[in-house]
Amino acid sequence: GVFFDKGPLDTVSMMTTSGTTGVPKGVILTNLSWEAMIASYHIAMPYDAPPVQVVAAPLTHAAGCLTATLLPFGGTSVLLPKPEPLAILEAIDRFKATTLFMPPTLIYMLLSQPKIRDFDYSHLKYFLYGAAPMAVHKLREATEIFGPVMCQTYGQTEALMSVTFMSAAEHQQALADPALEKRLWSAGRAGPLATVAIMDDHGALLPPGERGEIVCRGNLLMARYHKNPAATAEAGAHGWHHTGDIGVLDEAGYLYIVDRKKDLIITGGFNVYPGEVEQVIWTHPSVQDCAVIGIPDDKWGEAVTAVVELKPGAVFDADAIIRLCKDKLGSVKAPKSVTVIDSLPRSAVGKVLKRELRDRFWQGRERAI
């Protein structure tokens, strides 16, 4: 918990990282970290009446952080025992929910629920998504059903929840103006109390349009990793917090997250960012969710491979998915193979654990990164 009788730099909580690319680490957070995050959300998501949140994601991570931001408004949080789509939709209606947070994979499950249009969502003010990018066509569908309430946040346990923010108004502008539609692929702009930049491997900040590691500054950052000074120093190199994510800023300050640094696929000497390929595969009408990974290949070093979950009753056509990717991205980025899986492995916060998928193919072999 947060103990406000302590000093601003005193330790008040320890959370764990999600461990999607390695062993989870303990993250030491201070009063200052929490206060900066809560203040950011007061600015980005104001209320004129006490909010009601339906909680369908674990309180140990982002959903719990969002709950903390609602307390100063006198908010109520309704905790559901499990993320069952129909129960979530019923609860939004029954409790007149104003606020939701879900990872995209759970939102996709809601959109696939046959009774989704049977309930009243008119009290919704903010439907926040994060933890992973969201397919643009599904954003449009969610807006049609839930209203002009979709918001996005990007952050980490080490940089509490609000490194960037994309408001409902910005979503609506991008949905309405073809010239701005590309912004729906972004994670928004720097949050109210954060600074965001792109850095190369040598510590130099890069101009708009160039890819590099996403770094940030601000009071919402952690104090350190618990009993791990080497990882703390690595995360804070060159005076910025290193997120481990690859991204690019545009001239207007919108951040486009390309991928996790450790998820980069190197095939035949070319860099392939799985997120680009996943955005295309998500548009296929048979696909519920997907993950793109590199698997060992004697000719290419790594072969681009797609692992997909199908919608209920959907027919699987691997060739159609590969053709779609070739048409949109070219042969280098298109998967060499597509595999169906009943359920992708996910962390407690809904992130696909690509490390677990890769481990099935890389046993006893070393990856380049």
Side-chain angles (χ1 to χ4, degrees):
V2 181
F3 303 99
F4 290 101
D5 58 337
K6 288 194 164 205
L9 300 182
D10 286 343
T11 298
V12 294
S13 64
M14 181 170 71
M15 300 173 69
T16 57
T17 60
S18 59
T20 55
T21 58
V23 177
K25 294 185 283 290
V27 176
I28 301 298
L29 297 163
T30 65
N31 261 327
L32 191 61
S33 313
W34 284 98
E35 289 174 11
M37 183 199 69
I38 291 169
S40 292
Y41 275 86
H42 278 228
I43 297 167
M45 293 171 52
Y47 293 92
D48 52 14
V52 176
Q53 179 193 197
V54 168
V55 182
L59 287 173
T60 49
H61 289 80
C65 293
L66 181 60
T67 300
T69 72
L70 302 181
L71 294 177
F73 291 108
T76 298
S77 290
V78 179
L79 310 185
L80 301 184
K82 59 182 179 180
E84 200 283 309
L86 184 58
I88 293 170
L89 299 174
E90 290 173 340
I92 296 169
D93 185 340
R94 177 185 174 191
F95 295 102
K96 298 180 172 56
T98 63
T99 309
L100 303 170
F101 168 79
M102 295 179 200
T105 183
L106 183 52
I107 298 175
Y108 300 163
M109 292 169 64
L110 296 187
L111 296 176
S112 295
Q113 165 54 238
K115 295 184 178 180
I116 191 169
R117 297 178 186 272
D118 294 350
F119 302 99
D120 178 15
Y121 311 118
S122 61
H123 290 86
L124 273 179
K125 190 174 178 71
Y126 304 111
F127 193 154
L128 192 65
Y129 64 96
M134 189 165 172
V136 172
H137 75 287
K138 297 199 177 190
L139 260 179
R140 289 188 177 278
E141 185 180 357
T143 297
E144 177 196 351
I145 292 170
F146 296 109
V149 296
M150 303 306 294
C151 308
Q152 185 180 181
T153 187
Y154 164 66
Q156 299 183 313
T157 310
E158 299 95 326
L160 280 175
M161 280 284 284
S162 49
V163 173
T164 67
F165 189 81
M166 189 173 181
S167 69
E170 288 173 298
H171 277 80
Q172 291 307 110
Q173 290 169 355
L175 287 166
D177 185 348
L180 301 179
E181 185 182 49
K182 183 184 177 185
R183 290 179 181 174
L184 295 173
W185 296 72
S186 82
R189 294 180 287 185
L193 300 177
T195 302
V196 178
I198 303 296
M199 183 177 285
D200 68 15
D201 291 338
H202 307 291
L205 298 182
L206 299 173
E210 292 197 24
R211 288 181 176 180
E213 185 173 9
I214 302 166
V215 294
C216 60
R217 284 174 168 169
N219 288 337
L220 47 78
L221 296 180
M222 69 172 181
R224 63 191 180 280
Y225 288 119
H226 180 58
K227 295 183 178 180
N228 198 335
T232 300
E234 183 180 359
H238 310 294
W240 291 77
H241 172 68
H242 291 249
T243 65
D245 291 327
I246 299 295
V248 60
L249 287 165
D250 68 13
E251 293 286 352
Y254 285 87
L255 175 67
Y256 296 81
I257 302 171
V258 178
D259 235 307
R260 289 290 296 171
K261 200 170 184 179
K262 293 182 179 179
D263 287 340
L264 175 70
I265 300 168
I266 302 175
T267 179
F270 291 95
N271 289 351
V272 175
Y273 293 95
E276 292 180 291
V277 188
E278 289 160 357
Q279 283 281 357
V280 173
I281 295 174
W282 278 328
T283 67
H284 192 279
S286 296
V287 174
Q288 172 91 343
D289 205 353
C290 69
V292 172
I293 60 173
I295 68 172
D297 185 272
D298 291 336
K299 180 179 180 181
W300 303 106
E302 292 186 77
V304 180
T305 300
V307 184
V308 302
E309 284 181 19
L310 297 179
K311 292 179 179 177
V315 176
F316 175 58
D317 186 341
D319 290 340
I321 293 172
I322 293 171
R323 283 197 305 271
L324 175 66
C325 293
K326 285 183 177 179
D327 289 345
K328 298 290 185 181
L329 301 170
S331 295
V332 171
K333 296 180 181 180
K336 298 291 189 290
S337 63
V338 182
T339 300
V340 172
I341 192 170
D342 289 338
S343 180
L344 291 165
R346 294 184 177 90
S347 71
V349 295
K351 294 181 182 179
V352 173
L353 296 172
K354 292 184 179 179
R355 171 172 45 86
E356 288 192 10
L357 293 174
R358 283 194 297 261
D359 284 350
R360 303 180 189 187
F361 299 97
W362 287 93
Q363 287 291 341
R365 302 180 68 156
E366 289 291 327
R367 292 190 77 223
I369 59 171

